[in-house]
Amino acid sequence: MQQYIKLFMLVFLGFFQSLVAQKKDKDSIIGTETVTVVKAYKPTVADAFKIKSVPVINDSIVLKKKKIDYTIFSVPVASTFTPAKGKAATVDKVAPPVLFNSYASLGFGTYDNALAEVYTSRSINRDERLDLGLTHHSSRGQIDSIALNNDFYDTKLVAAYAKSDTDLDWGLNLGLQHQLYNWYGVPLGNLTDQQIEDLDSKQNYFNAEIAGHINLEDTYFERGEALFRRFFDATKSAENRAMIKGIAAFPVQDENIKINVKLDYLGGSFKNADVNSVENLAGNNYRFFQAGFGPSIEIIRDDLTLNLGANLVFGLDAENSDSNFYIYPNITASYRVLEEIVIAYGGIQGELLQNSYYDFVEENPFVSPTLTIQPTDQKYNAYAGIKGQLIPNLSYNIRATYKTENRKPLFKWNPLNSFRDDDKAYTYRNSFEVFYDDVKTLGIFGELNVDIKRNFSLGLNAEAFNYTTETDRPAWNLPKFTSSAFMDYQITQQWYLGASLFYMGQRDDLLSEVVQNTPQDNFPSEEISLNAFWDVNAHLGYRFNNQLSVFLKGNNLTNSNYQRWANYPVQGLQVIAGATYKFDF
């Protein structure tokens, strides 16, 4: 019997060990299992039994509730209070401003100054509009320290037509302009009375241009522009310019790719030779063509906006059969460091700038009609700064720039040329030429603007420059420091005033004289410095009603005959009074 029991125990232990070993093996292996649902789960809610609000109390002592009766004893009280009837609060209505589609302004002042302006804007229909404007500014007052006449006038007529449709808008602009200036930069005592009487120092500029634009919605082509300009003067110098620009945009996933295209033609001629030449034998012709292609991609990530692109330009000098291909960077970025308070921005860009006779006259009308026209190769313009709004009414902007430009145009004083007897009197050291130099410019700029409820605005800015030239000569007529300020104040509904202040630092120029059989670089010359100056202006106005107002303007309030250009003093204190009338036409 004991033998059977021992045998049974051995068999049982062996079977148990095999089960334990199998369990360990299964636990160490991660496998898959299949669960077969025989019946879907159907939950049920069991009945709930609410406890009775008044339970049955099995108590031998039960108190019986006593019935209570309530009565109100009214006593009359004398009162003299009478509540006021409620009245809804009202909002003061502000009458909408009365708008007129036309106005005329006329003013006269010292130095025989005259200002005139007429403008009208007419709606042809709901989608079409026609604008017409005429401006005139002239002066016939003589400056005491100069020998020649300094009369000038500037008259301009503009017309603009615009049409808007559902998915596009387009327009055409026409401009006509006539300017008269005198090369009056000859001091008293340099010419005899007979010479002054015989000399013709007048120069007339004429400009006619037509421009157009088109904006499209929901298409790859966003905007297109076109311009044709004819500019000429009284010395038979003439210039034509034709330009076409286009912008296309292509969305790619979350980014936006833009392509800028430009075609620019400039051609012209000067009938007179350079003032540095002893004889006026022949002028010069110029013809330039540019084709530009600028792809870029815009990347926006939260507070970061980044534009990565390049500007590819083909430049052709057709007159000299010379061509070049230029590649410029076009990279800009901005980052909101602290919402609208601090925004950091920067970029590096470059382009081939097409200089023109028209542009030079706009900047300095006393240039001689003997210029050399060349494009400027702006290799790069790098800048970085911060801007923002410290408070809702105060904004600021601080920026540092560094530019490298080849063939940068600089206005330089023409030499005295006693050998020439041109029809126009611009060879008496009273005109300016364009001198090209390779210039590197470092600049620091700062600006503050204050705007309080649109009744008061104030702006201040200043910029300092440092120039490095390839010729190691000064950057002619470029200031090392400039500053300006403006202020506008709406005193009352009728009275308003404003003021502006401009400061230009010292500039350098070259005094020279033409010598026969001598190279231009060996002409006797002397570097001179033009003093810095302030130009202070102010205006005051009064509105009688919505249509009629009067104004009083004061220019050069410091009454200084400062020189913007060498030997060209400006008029002293100028006061102009006039009126403006608005009407419907």
Side-chain angles (χ1 to χ4, degrees), residues 103 105 116-120 132-136 155-159 176:
Y103 73 87
S105 181
E117 186 173 0
V118 179
Y119 174 82
T120 182
L132 298 172
L134 175 66
T135 60
H136 173 82
T155 303
K156 188 174 184 179
L157 172 66
V158 295
L176 301 174

Side-chain angles (χ1 to χ4, degrees), residues 111 140-150 184 186-190 196 559 561 567-573:
Y111 291 95
R140 293 182 175 275
Q142 186 67 19
I143 300 175
D144 295 336
S145 60
I146 61 172
L148 300 178
N149 190 357
N150 66 285
Y184 68 85
V186 179
L188 285 174
N190 288 23
I196 294 174
N559 195 28
N561 294 113
N567 271 8
Y568 276 85
V570 301
Q571 295 175 345
L573 174 63

Side-chain angles (χ1 to χ4, degrees), residues 357-400:
Y357 186 31
Y358 171 83
D359 295 331
F360 291 144
V361 170
E362 286 292 295
E363 187 174 355
N364 182 356
F366 308 112
V367 293
S368 62
T370 61
L371 306 181
T372 300
I373 305 297
Q374 293 184 24
T376 297
D377 177 17
Q378 188 182 84
K379 290 189 173 298
Y380 58 85
N381 177 13
Y383 59 92
I386 57 174
K387 61 182 179 179
Q389 287 185 312
L390 299 177
I391 56 177
N393 299 324
L394 177 62
S395 62
Y396 70 95
N397 186 8
I398 302 173
R399 180 179 67 245

Side-chain angles (χ1 to χ4, degrees), residues 213-232:
H213 72 272
I214 182 171
N215 297 310
L216 299 175
E217 298 289 342
D218 301 326
T219 62
Y220 293 132
F221 182 77
E222 289 188 345
R223 180 175 175 84
E225 298 178 7
L227 169 70
F228 177 77
R229 175 187 296 127
R230 171 70 174 178
F231 182 74
F232 57 99

Side-chain angles (χ1 to χ4, degrees), residues 15-81:
F15 178 74
F16 180 79
Q17 290 178 353
S18 64
L19 291 176
V20 172
Q22 291 179 5
K23 185 177 184 303
K24 291 181 178 180
D25 293 339
K26 291 180 180 179
D27 293 340
S28 62
I29 299 175
I30 299 175
T32 59
E33 295 184 1
T34 302
V35 179
T36 303
V37 179
V38 178
K39 184 179 180 181
Y41 175 64
K42 295 182 178 180
T44 59
V45 180
D47 295 336
F49 298 94
K50 183 178 179 181
I51 300 176
K52 295 181 179 180
S53 59
V54 183
V56 178
I57 302 175
N58 295 324
D59 196 348
S60 58
I61 300 175
V62 177
L63 298 177
K64 186 177 180 180
K65 294 181 180 179
K66 185 177 180 180
K67 184 178 180 181
I68 301 174
D69 296 330
Y70 295 93
T71 59
I72 297 175
F73 181 70
S74 298
V75 177
V77 177
S79 176
T80 59
F81 173 72

